[in-house]
């Protein structure tokens, strides 16, 4: 991510926070609509996971300027995902669903530059998580 992208993610996240938990419902719904084969990996009741996802995104956004502290946490998460039977190819599906649901939630506040910055952020996360999971 470029420094400008870090700034765009940080700023846009402030506007996203109030709608974040609600947006995770739309995110998982659209993920399971597009990729129904992924539903079975997840628990029946998604409320706890929705909360954890928002907490983790908050942690990540707050940590973008401190990669030394952030990376071990992201890599741990990647290793846990391997244990959840998540395969590398699933990350593109999850990333696309997440970006699209954020775009629906934020409307005009999610312009092309902001969208690109979030794509870079999610790609960074996914790459680190996959690499750590594969090495585990
Ligand atoms: C884009 C990066 C991702 C982030 C930030 C993320 C975040 C999280 C978090 C915070 C948890 C809670 C569990 C824990 O902390 O150990 C979790 C669990 C889980 N995630 Fe992800 N995740 C990502 C990608 C994926 C992908 C690609 C899949 C594939 C479908 C996936 C499927 C799951 C499953 C199945 C669980 C466990 C649910 C359970 O049994 O409790 N995640 N994820």
């Amino acid at each position: 991510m470029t420094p400008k992208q870090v700034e765009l993610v940080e700023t846009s996240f402030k506007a996203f926070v109030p709608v974040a938990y609600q947006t995770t419902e739309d995110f998982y719904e659209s993920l399971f609509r597009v990729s129904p084969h992924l539903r079975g990996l997840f628990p029946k009741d998604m409320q706890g996971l929705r909360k954890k996802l928002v907490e983790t995104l908050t942690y990540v956004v707050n940590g973008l300027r401190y990669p030394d502290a952030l990376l071990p946490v992201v890599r741990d998460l990647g290793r846990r995902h391997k244990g959840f039977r998540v395969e590398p190819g699933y990350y593109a599906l999850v990333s696309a669903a997440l970006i699209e649901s954020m775009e629906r939630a934020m409307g005009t506040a999610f312009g092309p530059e902001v969208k690109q910055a979030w794509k870079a952020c999610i790609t960074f996360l996914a790459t680190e998580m996959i690499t750590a999971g594969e090495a585990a």
Side-chain angles (χ1 to χ4, degrees):
M1 293 176 77
T2 66
K4 172 78 183 167
Q5 285 177 326
V6 169
E7 222 176 285
L8 286 170
V9 165
E10 288 170 347
T11 313
S12 59
F13 193 68
K14 290 196 178 79
F16 181 65
V17 166
V19 295
Y21 181 72
Q22 190 49 51
T23 303
T24 59
E25 183 169 37
D26 175 62
F27 158 61
Y28 285 116
E29 272 177 16
S30 62
L31 178 67
F32 299 149
R33 199 166 43 244
V34 175
S35 307
H37 59 292
L38 298 183
R39 181 64 186 96
L41 298 175
F42 290 87
K44 190 158 175 277
D45 180 352
M46 293 292 289
Q47 284 191 26
L49 191 54
R50 288 173 58 196
K51 200 164 159 268
K52 280 187 196 169
L53 180 60
V54 174
E55 285 165 3
T56 300
L57 285 177
T58 306
Y59 188 88
V60 168
V61 172
N62 288 331
L64 290 175
R65 289 172 194 254
Y66 313 97
D68 289 352
L70 178 62
L71 277 172
V73 176
V74 171
R75 289 174 181 156
D76 257 4
L77 186 63
R79 284 188 283 271
R80 286 205 298 283
H81 275 69
K82 181 147 194 210
F84 301 145
R85 294 183 294 134
V86 172
E87 292 177 18
Y90 299 166
Y91 279 87
L93 301 169
V94 165
S95 303
L98 189 57
I99 296 284
E100 283 160 23
S101 60
M102 288 184 81
E103 190 167 21
R104 280 193 292 276
M106 290 173 70
T108 52
F110 206 78
E113 249 198 324
V114 173
K115 183 173 179 172
Q116 204 48 50
W118 273 97
K119 278 189 176 173
C121 180
I122 304 296
T123 301
F124 152 72
L125 268 183
T127 306
E128 290 298 336
M129 287 174 69
I130 291 169
T131 308
E134 289 302 282

